[in-house]
Amino acid sequence: MKQVVTVRNLTIGEGMPKICVPIVAATEEEIIKKAEEIVRYPADLIEWRADYFEDAYNLEALASVLLGIRKAIGDMPLLFTFRSESEGGCKAIGAKDYFALNLAVAMYGEADLIDLEIYQDLERAKNVISMLHEAGIKVIASHHDFEKTPTRSEIMTKLSKMQELNADILKIAVMPNEIGDVARLLKITGRTSINFEKPLITMSMGQMGMITRVAGESFGSDITFGTVGETSAPGQLHVNDLKLILETLHKYHS
């Protein structure tokens, strides 16, 4: 039976896919301003992409920004993400420092979920997931491939490992090189959502894969990413357009 994940007042894993809007800005002032702007839109949760922050390696600076975001967004769930350069992010970071940074963020108490690139180091990831859970943090285990769409077997293996490590939500984002890649990911998502216990996030990036960002309720992807201004990945739709499409599909899905 598929599990749900409840974060503050939000339940992930049932009904329409939840809309997450990322903050991609360089300075603390710009980040807080963007957080204040996003709450006026139909977002369900906010992601702070900390790798865009100019002082992202400074733990005290991270703590200050997290507190400012929390004040701006109130009780809206907050996802913290430091996307490494190796998985399409803005800054390089070694595995040891990467996991230490995420643990430090958990201790500040402002983030509700943390995106964890488990393939930085699977053994470290296993221990860190356990520690994040002890701190009351939900974990999105993630893997991103900005060059291709892996085979069905490769994708299933990665998702299985995420579930094995007891992540709360499993995330795969891939790049299509032909329309068949998009169709394959949707098929994999549909099968995985039936056979796996955990909520899923899957997406095929770019314009070709845009359909995967709105078809989650039919195929089993539980969070989708929309924009208010800057995008954090290719193919994202504006949050207003995304909400309208999801609501329209939901009406007929029900």
Side-chain angles (χ1 to χ4, degrees):
M1 183 176 178
K2 188 172 180 178
Q3 300 173 2
V4 298
V5 171
T6 300
V7 184
R8 294 185 183 260
N9 59 351
L10 184 68
T11 299
I12 301 164
E14 63 182 19
M16 287 196 317
K18 305 308 182 282
I19 299 176
C20 182
V21 176
I23 298 173
V24 289
T27 69
E28 181 169 357
E29 181 181 1
E30 292 169 337
I31 292 164
I32 304 308
K33 183 178 180 181
K34 180 58 70 173
E36 293 169 343
E37 180 184 5
I38 291 172
V39 295
R40 301 197 294 268
Y41 287 84
D44 297 301
L45 65 159
I46 287 177
E47 177 186 40
W48 178 30
R49 278 288 302 272
D51 52 297
Y52 281 84
F53 179 39
E54 62 184 8
D55 207 8
Y57 300 119
N58 184 329
L59 294 181
E60 290 185 3
L62 290 177
S64 177
V65 175
L66 284 163
L67 182 61
I69 294 174
R70 175 54 62 200
K71 288 181 178 178
I73 69 176
D75 202 39
M76 182 178 285
L78 175 61
L79 164 63
F80 175 85
T81 300
F82 188 111
R83 181 71 60 235
S84 71
E85 191 175 61
S86 62
E87 292 211 16
C90 296
K91 290 181 172 62
I93 188 169
K96 182 178 179 180
D97 290 337
Y98 171 80
F99 288 113
L101 183 149
N102 280 288
L103 282 172
V105 166
M107 296 305 108
Y108 298 141
E110 307 299 344
D112 303 293
L113 307 101
I114 287 180
D115 179 303
L116 207 65
E117 298 171 3
I118 65 165
Y119 288 96
Q120 291 256 4
D121 184 321
L122 286 172
E123 194 58 40
R124 277 200 176 102
K126 180 180 179 179
N127 295 330
V128 170
I129 288 172
S130 178
M131 288 186 277
L132 291 176
H133 284 160
E134 290 177 4
I137 301 290
K138 303 296 185 184
V139 178
I140 299 177
S142 70
H143 177 71
H144 303 75
D145 191 326
F146 278 79
E147 295 182 357
K148 65 185 185 305
T149 300
T151 66
R152 177 185 180 277
S153 176
E154 289 170 328
I155 292 174
M156 294 298 292
T157 296
K158 290 185 182 301
L159 290 171
S160 295
K161 178 57 69 173
M162 293 173 185
Q163 182 158 276
E164 180 186 322
L165 295 185
N166 199 32
D168 300 284
I169 300 172
L170 322 179
K171 180 186 178 188
I172 290 279
V174 297
M175 184 64 72
N177 291 310
E178 59 180 18
I179 196 64
D181 291 338
V182 179
R184 186 167 77 256
L185 182 70
L186 288 172
K187 187 175 183 179
I188 292 168
T189 303
R191 288 182 176 177
T192 305
S193 68
I194 295 171
N195 297 322
F196 280 47
E197 299 175 352
K198 306 288 188 173
L200 295 173
I201 307 170
T202 67
M203 65 198 71
S204 186
M205 294 181 282
Q207 185 175 5
M208 188 184 296
M210 202 174 290
I211 185 65
T212 64
R213 297 184 181 275
V214 299
E217 189 168 5
S218 297
F219 289 90
S221 184
D222 297 301
I223 295 178
T224 188
F225 290 78
T227 68
V228 174
E230 301 85 352
T231 65
S232 62
Q236 291 175 351
L237 300 167
H238 190 277
V239 63
N240 286 342
D241 296 329
L242 189 54
K243 183 72 170 182
L244 177 60
I245 296 169
L246 291 175
E247 287 182 335
T248 301
L249 292 174
H250 178 71
K251 180 171 66 174
Y252 291 99
H253 190 273
S254 301

